[in-house]
Amino acid sequence: MAHPAKFSRSLIERIVSHAFEQGWVQVGSQVVDPFGGVSCGGIVCAYRGLRWIGVELEPRFVELGRGNIEKH
């Protein structure tokens, strides 16, 4: 909850679903997220079979993101 610009997981899931429906991605596709934050997008992508690259400038959020990914 520490990140100042949180994305709703359900919103990320809707965006990823839309990308699949439009044919923009398929299982195994790579997604680059320039606002990696605490890796919620990475978790959603991993569950959908996508490879995720997240970019985050703040070291503390990078560490939180790594911890989130490990939990999933």
Side-chain angles (χ1 to χ4, degrees):
M1 301 307 279
H3 199 280
K6 298 169 200 64
F7 262 119
S8 159
R9 182 174 176 158
S10 64
L11 175 60
I12 296 169
E13 289 172 349
R14 288 177 52 201
I15 291 168
V16 170
S17 291
H18 182 72
F20 271 105
E21 291 165 8
Q22 295 299 309
W24 299 334
V25 297
Q26 57 190 0
V27 171
S29 292
Q30 184 168 296
V31 175
V32 177
D33 181 354
F35 305 103
V38 295
S39 303
C40 189
I43 293 165
V44 170
C45 286
Y47 279 123
R48 297 293 299 268
L50 299 170
R51 296 177 301 142
W52 180 83
I53 296 174
V55 178
E56 177 56 56
L57 297 176
E58 295 289 332
R60 67 183 179 149
F61 298 130
V62 171
E63 290 306 313
L64 285 170
R66 285 182 179 144
N68 287 337
I69 289 172
E70 287 176 12
K71 289 178 185 174
H72 287 268

